[in-house]
């Protein structure tokens, strides 16, 4: 019997049983991660090999270095992940892997490894959209959460407000028309001479600043739930240059705090409004920017004021990880979505529901 036939039969049996223990692989950018997740909700083990120290030497992610480090990390991660969960390879029912979006070389390492593992063990192979993974991190953090709900997906490459209609079914209500929130944070961090990774370090610096010390323009967009951070980013950078040219000292903490406030106010206000207008009572956060401390406070405050229940994964599940991929993979499996060995990386994979 061919691998494809056997794997699909196993996938169908798992779907009928409604149960699966999934080994998940994430390698879309600069974190190599692996996890074991049961039934989309129960995290049994999770290991992340960070590349931050290496890329910090260059001030940002170097794709070729990221890919090579993924290759070196994957096999040791398997041993660590299985050991942490108390499993052997025989305990794994299926393999889930991020196949896009992301850096093409980085994605290819994870996809190739997952295909080899799935073939060797004759297991179903489940392709996962990285952004859907971020949304699904909420199912790990809050097992009581079920669709429908509205989710803000904010990261270095994405800023979207998504209505989660059902597992694997989404409607995009709004999105960025230019720079994503995380990208804007990183670019402003460079102007303030904040080293890589800029966004999280800017957030930390802003905690000690006055967020009303500097006045930046309010973000204006045509779409009710759309974002635009390019103009704000440019205004902030230009103001920094102007102050320096005039010989004025910039209070970095105040500057960072004022910029962070402008971004967060736009994200939180529009997300809460979108949820309220959709007639839903549950709102969630997802993506790397979801670990931003002011955003978490503002979403909780504004959400509760609007009568919403707010769900936020812990910081470790906001940044890239494999636990979220394992959760998303389970629901893809339950929908009958499995791949064969022709699965390829799709670096520009369309966002969910597009």
């Amino acid at each position: 019997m061919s691998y494809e036939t056997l794997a699909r039969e196993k996938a169908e049996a798992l779907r009928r049983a409604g149960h699966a223990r999934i080994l998940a692989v994430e390698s879309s950018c600069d974190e190599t991660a692996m996890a074991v997740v049961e039934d989309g909700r129960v995290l049994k083990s999770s290991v992340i090999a960070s590349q931050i120290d290496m890329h910090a030497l260059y001030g940002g992610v170097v794709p070729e270095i990221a890919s090579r480090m993924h290759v070196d990390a994957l096999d040791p991660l398997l041993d660590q992940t299985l050991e942490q969960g108390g499993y052997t390879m025989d305990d794994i029912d299926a393999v889930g892997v991020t196949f896009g979006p992301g850096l093409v070389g980085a994605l290819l390492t994870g996809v190739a490894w997952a295909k080899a593992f799935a073939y060797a063990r004759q297991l179903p192979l489940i392709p996962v959209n990285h952004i859907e993974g971020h949304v699904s991190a909420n199912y790990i953090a809050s097992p009581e959460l079920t669709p429908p709900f509205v989710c803000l997906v904010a990261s270095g490459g994405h800023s979207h407000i998504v209505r989660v209609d059902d597992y694997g079914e989404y409607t995009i209500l709004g999105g960025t028309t230019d720079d994503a929130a995380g990208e804007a944070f990183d670019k402003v961090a460079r102007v303030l001479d904040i080293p890589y990774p800029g966004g999280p370090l800017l957030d930390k610096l802003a905690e000690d600043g006055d967020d009303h010390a500097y006045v930046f323009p309010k973000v204006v967009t045509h779409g009710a739930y759309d974002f635009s951070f390019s103009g704000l980013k440019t205004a902030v950078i230009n103001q920094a240059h102007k102050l320096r040219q005039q010989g004025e000292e910039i209070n970095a903490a105040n500057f960072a705090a004022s910029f962070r406030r402008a971004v967060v106010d736009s994200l939180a206000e529009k997300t809460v409004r979108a949820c309220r207008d959709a007639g839903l009572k549950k709102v969630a956060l997802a993506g790397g920017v979801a670990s931003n401390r002011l955003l978490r406070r503002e979403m909780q405050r504004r959400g509760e004021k609007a009568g919403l229940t707010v769900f936020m994964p812990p910081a470790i599940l906001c940044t890239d990880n494999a636990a979220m991929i394992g959760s998303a993979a389970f629901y893809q499996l339950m929908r009958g979505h499995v791949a064969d060995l022709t699965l390829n990386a799709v670096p520009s994979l369309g966002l969910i529901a597009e």
Side-chain angles (χ1 to χ4, degrees):
M1 185 180 296
S2 70
Y3 161 75
E4 285 78 8
T5 300
L6 183 60
R8 289 190 177 277
E9 287 183 356
K10 288 184 177 180
E12 180 58 24
L14 292 170
R15 192 189 67 79
R16 289 197 302 267
H19 170 78
R21 183 178 295 131
I22 295 175
L23 176 72
V25 182
E26 157 62 26
S27 68
S28 63
C29 190
D30 61 338
E31 307 282 13
T32 320
M34 204 170 288
V36 175
V37 178
E38 288 188 358
D39 303 341
R41 303 273 173 165
V42 183
L43 179 60
K44 291 298 187 178
S45 63
S46 179
V47 180
I48 301 174
S50 176
Q51 302 180 7
I52 286 179
D53 290 344
M54 174 60 74
H55 296 294
L57 299 174
Y58 304 95
V61 177
V62 181
E64 178 65 19
I65 293 176
S67 301
R68 292 178 181 274
M69 292 186 73
H70 287 314
V71 172
D72 291 338
L74 282 164
D75 281 347
L77 277 187
L78 174 64
D79 294 336
Q80 295 172 44
T81 303
L82 292 176
E83 182 179 356
Q84 187 183 97
Y87 298 122
T88 69
M89 287 187 281
D90 292 336
D91 296 316
I92 302 301
D93 296 319
V95 183
V97 63
T98 303
F99 76 111
L103 301 175
V104 62
L107 289 166
L108 281 169
T109 60
V111 169
W113 190 95
K115 288 198 293 186
F117 186 88
Y119 179 75
R121 305 299 302 177
Q122 299 288 283
L123 298 176
L125 176 66
I126 309 165
V128 177
N129 184 311
H130 179 77
I131 306 305
E132 183 171 7
H134 275 304
V135 174
S136 301
N138 285 282
Y139 301 138
I140 296 285
S142 303
E144 73 277 15
L145 175 63
T146 57
F149 60 92
V150 165
C151 185
L152 169 65
V153 182
S155 66
H158 307 277
S159 294
H160 278 74
I161 299 176
V162 179
R163 189 178 69 220
V164 183
D165 301 307
D166 202 346
Y167 300 109
E169 297 181 10
Y170 309 92
T171 301
I172 294 198
L173 303 177
T176 182
T177 58
D178 40 60
D179 289 356
E183 181 182 1
F185 274 119
D186 289 340
K187 289 179 178 177
V188 170
R190 293 192 191 103
V191 174
L192 294 176
D193 297 322
I194 297 174
Y196 172 85
L201 293 180
L202 185 149
D203 178 41
K204 182 178 180 180
L205 176 64
E207 287 291 286
D208 297 322
D210 176 2
D211 58 13
H212 297 292
Y214 295 89
V215 178
F216 298 129
K218 182 177 177 61
V219 177
V220 178
T221 57
H222 293 296
Y225 313 126
D226 287 337
F227 305 113
S228 173
F229 298 113
S230 180
L232 172 63
K233 173 205 66 181
T234 301
V236 171
I237 293 174
N238 287 343
Q239 186 165 338
H241 290 328
K242 181 179 179 180
L243 291 171
R244 286 169 176 155
Q245 289 168 358
Q246 294 173 343
E248 297 184 32
E249 182 178 350
I250 296 176
N251 184 307
N254 289 348
F255 204 85
S258 299
F259 168 69
R260 183 180 67 163
R261 167 62 66 180
V263 174
V264 165
D265 280 350
S266 178
L267 292 172
E269 176 187 343
K270 293 193 174 188
T271 302
V272 170
R273 188 197 315 155
C275 188
R276 187 183 62 241
D277 291 350
L280 298 177
K281 292 295 185 180
K282 295 177 286 187
V283 64
L285 294 181
V289 179
S291 62
N292 183 281
R293 282 165 274 201
L294 180 62
L295 177 60
R296 296 172 76 87
R297 292 195 295 266
E298 279 297 298
M299 282 297 298
Q300 194 69 51
R301 182 183 69 83
R302 293 171 185 252
E304 290 179 354
K305 185 177 179 180
L308 308 177
T309 302
V310 182
F311 296 88
M312 296 180 286
I316 192 64
L317 292 180
C318 292
T319 53
D320 290 351
N321 63 88
M324 67 184 194
I325 302 303
S327 177
F330 174 78
Y331 293 106
Q332 288 297 328
L333 176 63
M334 293 300 105
R335 289 163 59 85
H337 294 169
V338 295
D340 57 30
L341 297 178
T342 64
L343 178 67
N344 200 1
V346 184
S348 57
L349 182 66
L351 294 178
I352 43 185
E354 287 191 332

